[in-house]
Amino acid sequence: LGVRGALFAAHRDRGLPADSVTVLAGRDREIWIGTNGGGVAVLDRASGRVIERHRRSPDDEASLAGDRVSAIELSPNGGAWVASLNGGLAFRSPERGTWTRLKIGQRSFSATDLERDGAGRLLVSTLEHGVLEIDEDELTTRRLELPVDDVGVAALLTDRDGRTWLGTSRGPAVIEAGDEMRWIDDVAD
């Protein structure tokens, strides 16, 4: 949406890197658009024009980690976190304007979602490594000790009570205070 409620059509012939939009995030003057295969485009909210494009370049470690974008989290400091299914996680520094790719060991991974928990920690769900906590100052990750290492975690949601809900290949689960997790065996209809 534009500043006055005008709706803009943004697609490939108007500058978007791919037609399939997977996630949206916004700041005062920008809309960040994640795509399935085209990386990230940043639109100027007032004009609806693409002002930045970010893609993965295999030869450039300072580029986006992957082009199949699954989540975007805009940091209060002006940075941006982007999760991707084919490259893991990357952070764009507002000072340098370049990307830092985060890996587990020497490997990339499939990052599926980003969510701030009740304590303000930034969490990333993965298909291979359960849930990771991101150290936003050091640009590192730490695996939460949860019984989900053998299942893929596709989605995260923090409720107003500070609990973080997980959507997994085994079903729903919830992380309570102190990183205590429990499976939700009975979901009411």
Side-chain angles (χ1 to χ4, degrees):
L1 285 178
V3 270
R4 299 208 171 120
L7 183 62
F8 295 106
H11 42 79
R12 200 177 290 213
D13 28 331
R14 304 240 2 233
L16 206 57
D19 287 335
S20 179
V21 173
T22 55
V23 65
L24 299 169
R27 289 203 174 122
D28 290 340
R29 297 186 174 134
E30 302 169 339
I31 303 285
W32 285 61
I33 300 175
T35 68
N36 186 16
V40 173
V42 181
L43 268 63
D44 174 72
R45 191 178 287 222
S47 69
R49 293 180 187 207
V50 174
I51 56 175
E52 294 178 32
R53 288 181 188 84
H54 302 279
R55 299 283 313 254
R56 181 188 192 306
S57 174
D59 300 327
D60 183 2
E61 284 291 316
S63 68
L64 195 61
D67 289 331
R68 292 182 57 210
V69 177
S70 54
I72 299 172
E73 173 74 21
L74 302 177
S75 295
N77 69 358
W81 291 93
V82 173
S84 65
L85 296 177
N86 63 335
L89 187 63
F91 175 72
R92 183 168 185 259
S93 164
E95 294 85 25
R96 295 188 318 272
T98 58
W99 294 92
T100 300
R101 298 178 187 173
L102 282 74
K103 296 181 181 179
I104 297 176
Q106 296 298 316
R107 299 176 39 154
S108 62
F109 54 95
S110 292
T112 56
D113 203 359
L114 292 161
E115 179 75 13
R116 292 212 180 264
D117 71 0
R121 302 180 302 179
L122 185 56
L123 304 178
V124 59
S125 57
T126 73
L127 295 181
E128 307 90 345
H129 305 288
V131 179
L132 308 174
E133 176 185 354
I134 301 169
D135 182 325
E136 295 183 78
D137 295 324
E138 299 295 322
L139 300 182
T140 58
T141 60
R142 177 186 71 84
R143 183 182 295 183
L144 295 186
E145 297 299 323
L146 303 173
V148 294
D149 290 341
D150 61 337
V151 297
V153 180
L156 300 169
L157 174 72
T158 301
D159 66 21
R160 65 177 163 231
D161 296 325
R163 298 174 298 201
T164 301
W165 294 82
L166 291 78
T168 79
S169 58
R170 184 178 154 197
V174 64
I175 302 172
E176 306 278 357
D179 289 344
E180 293 295 321
M181 193 197 95
R182 65 182 170 89
W183 293 102
I184 307 300
D185 295 322
D186 297 315
V187 178
D189 292 319

